[in-house]
Amino acid sequence: MKINNKYFYKNIKKNFLIKKSFKIIFLNKKIIYINKKLKNILYINYSLKKKKNINIIIFKNKNINIPIHFININNINEKKKKYNINILIKKNINLSIIEEHYSLKKNKFINYNTNITINKKSNIKYFQIININKKTSFISKDNIKIKKHSKLKKIIFFIKAKNIFIENKTILRKKSKIKLYSLSIIKKKKNYIYKTEIKHNSYYSTSKQKHKNLIISPGIINFIGKIIISSKSNFSKAKLENNNLCINKPKYIYSKPQLNIFNKNSKSKHKVKIYYPNKKKIFYLLNRGFNNYESNKILYIIFIKEIINKINFKKLKKKIEKIINKNI
């Protein structure tokens, strides 16, 4: 099915991050376009049983390097209207998923839930990019279940939005792993609320989190990271880290790591940092011929680079670097 939308063709189609990918495009709770060129490599079963639900089941036989690209175009202005995307990933799948969000000019709210179930012995890389209109409010709730011997690496980029509220809940089973990273740029009085909850429900499960906030102009930041290690989860490991680099004094920073440990044989760590650019480093760069703006930008890039280097696609990496450089 083709899309008859002038805004889509002018602005969105040019900005697809990876051309060689299996594309699924949502517009107002409906699947409007699917790229069906990769029939031999991948099979996706999708259905719209209810108006508010989109069900996607992913099967495959061999490992593939071509990612699945979800493009979410929203044109709904009511905050209460939300929908569910249910993704079921079958056994023994090694796959990358890119989730990208666009909003039309008149759009004020994006509100949706994502339910992801990863079955046994699967290895998933998930990239979520939120680069929408500055006046748009973004509300999202993710529920993730990772089953036995499965791995998930998820990276979230918050670049543009007026108000951001994201809640991420994850349940880990036996010998499952999650690596969760996020990078946000706080600019022009942005309100940013991010809640994560990872529950270790069985033994030898591991979780690693690193969240970075670059605060360029005053904004409100509220981060709550919760780790639950149940009594059954022997020899589990959990690590949580939240770093905030403040260029200007923020209105409000609230960072609260919570550790609920019910097993003596498990290990857990947490770390929170709030700091300003190092004056000695700026002075060193000024003496090397850089001006004040350039020296500050170098420090921003060093702060951001750790998260960007975790992307395994070169084209996606370059595209995100360009978007971030425009907004710094």
Side-chain angles (χ1 to χ4, degrees):
M1 294 171 66
K2 292 184 179 179
I3 307 156
N4 295 316
N5 191 312
K6 290 180 181 178
Y7 183 86
F8 174 80
Y9 281 112
K10 285 182 181 179
N11 299 313
I12 296 170
K13 201 171 182 182
K14 291 177 184 178
N15 294 322
F16 283 159
L17 295 179
I18 293 176
K19 290 182 180 178
K20 291 182 179 179
S21 62
F22 192 99
K23 295 182 184 71
I24 301 173
I25 302 173
F26 307 107
L27 176 62
N28 296 347
K29 307 179 185 179
K30 291 181 181 180
I31 297 172
I32 53 165
Y33 175 83
I34 290 184
N35 179 11
K36 295 183 178 179
K37 291 179 182 178
L38 309 172
K39 289 179 182 178
N40 298 326
I41 298 171
L42 183 73
Y43 173 70
I44 295 179
N45 181 15
Y46 63 94
S47 61
L48 294 166
K49 291 182 180 179
K50 296 178 182 178
K51 289 183 180 179
K52 291 183 179 179
N53 290 332
I54 297 167
N55 301 315
I56 298 166
I57 305 167
I58 300 167
F59 303 89
K60 75 179 193 62
N61 297 321
K62 296 179 181 180
N63 292 342
I64 56 170
N65 295 320
I66 297 170
I68 295 175
H69 195 163
F70 295 106
I71 297 137
N72 190 1
I73 308 160
N74 208 303
N75 192 24
I76 300 164
N77 287 322
E78 292 184 25
K79 192 175 181 179
K80 292 180 181 178
K81 283 188 177 181
K82 61 182 178 182
Y83 58 100
N84 300 319
I85 300 172
N86 304 316
I87 301 169
L88 176 62
I89 298 166
K90 292 291 184 178
K91 291 181 185 179
N92 300 317
I93 292 179
N94 186 7
L95 187 69
S96 295
I97 297 170
I98 299 166
E99 184 184 329
E100 195 178 357
H101 292 274
Y102 288 97
S103 59
L104 301 180
K105 290 179 181 179
K106 294 179 181 180
N107 192 3
K108 292 181 180 179
F109 298 103
I110 293 176
N111 191 356
Y112 79 105
N113 298 336
T114 305
N115 302 310
I116 303 167
T117 304
I118 301 168
N119 278 304
K120 294 177 184 179
K121 296 180 182 179
S122 292
N123 187 5
I124 308 298
K125 291 174 184 175
Y126 204 107
F127 306 99
Q128 191 176 19
I129 299 134
I130 300 156
N131 183 24
I132 54 180
N133 292 333
K134 293 174 185 178
K135 295 179 180 179
T136 306
S137 295
F138 185 87
I139 301 162
S140 172
K141 291 182 180 179
D142 296 348
N143 297 308
I144 303 167
K145 291 179 182 178
I146 305 172
K147 296 191 176 179
K148 296 177 183 179
H149 303 277
S150 291
K151 295 177 184 178
L152 174 65
K153 181 182 177 182
K154 189 176 181 184
I155 307 173
I156 309 169
F157 295 95
F158 307 101
I159 300 163
K160 287 181 187 176
K162 184 182 178 183
N163 297 311
I164 296 172
F165 175 82
I166 284 195
E167 190 176 349
N168 195 328
K169 290 185 177 180
T170 308
I171 296 170
L172 295 172
R173 302 292 183 188
K174 174 182 158 186
K175 293 185 179 180
S176 59
K177 294 180 182 179
I178 183 169
K179 290 181 180 179
L180 183 61
Y181 304 101
S182 73
L183 176 63
S184 63
I185 296 167
I186 310 299
K187 198 176 178 182
K188 294 185 180 179
K189 297 180 181 179
K190 191 185 289 183
N191 188 5
Y192 169 66
I193 300 166
Y194 185 34
K195 295 180 179 180
T196 65
E197 184 182 306
I198 294 176
K199 189 176 181 181
H200 295 252
N201 232 3
S202 189
Y203 55 89
Y204 287 107
S205 57
T206 58
S207 65
K208 186 180 179 181
Q209 298 181 68
K210 195 158 196 175
H211 307 282
K212 287 194 170 189
N213 303 321
L214 179 63
I215 302 138
I216 295 168
S217 59
I220 297 167
I221 300 162
N222 194 333
F223 173 77
I224 299 167
K226 192 174 183 181
I227 295 167
I228 302 165
I229 297 178
S230 64
S231 56
K232 296 177 183 178
S233 52
N234 288 316
F235 309 107
S236 292
K237 294 179 183 179
K239 190 178 179 181
L240 172 64
E241 196 173 335
N242 178 224
N243 295 333
N244 301 281
L245 177 61
C246 306
I247 310 307
N248 292 310
K249 288 184 179 180
K251 280 188 175 182
Y252 179 78
I253 292 180
Y254 180 79
S255 185
K256 188 181 179 183
Q258 297 177 353
L259 301 177
N260 297 336
I261 314 299
F262 302 102
N263 192 303
K264 292 179 181 179
N265 296 322
S266 61
K267 292 180 181 180
S268 60
K269 292 179 182 179
H270 68 85
K271 190 190 288 185
V272 176
K273 282 184 180 180
I274 300 169
Y275 55 95
Y276 292 88
N278 195 327
K279 290 181 181 179
K280 288 181 181 179
K281 289 179 180 178
I282 292 168
F283 181 73
Y284 175 82
L285 290 167
L286 289 169
N287 287 330
R288 290 286 179 270
F290 296 101
N291 59 29
N292 197 21
Y293 173 77
E294 288 172 345
S295 57
N296 277 321
K297 198 168 184 179
I298 288 162
L299 293 176
Y300 306 162
I301 291 161
I302 291 164
F303 179 75
I304 287 165
K305 211 167 185 181
E306 187 183 354
I307 305 295
I308 292 171
N309 286 339
K310 296 184 186 297
I311 301 169
N312 56 337
F313 294 108
K314 288 181 180 179
K315 288 182 181 178
L316 177 61
K317 192 175 177 179
K318 285 179 182 178
K319 192 75 178 180
I320 288 168
E321 282 175 352
K322 282 182 183 179
I323 293 165
I324 288 168
N325 284 327
K326 284 179 184 179
N327 290 283
I328 290 176

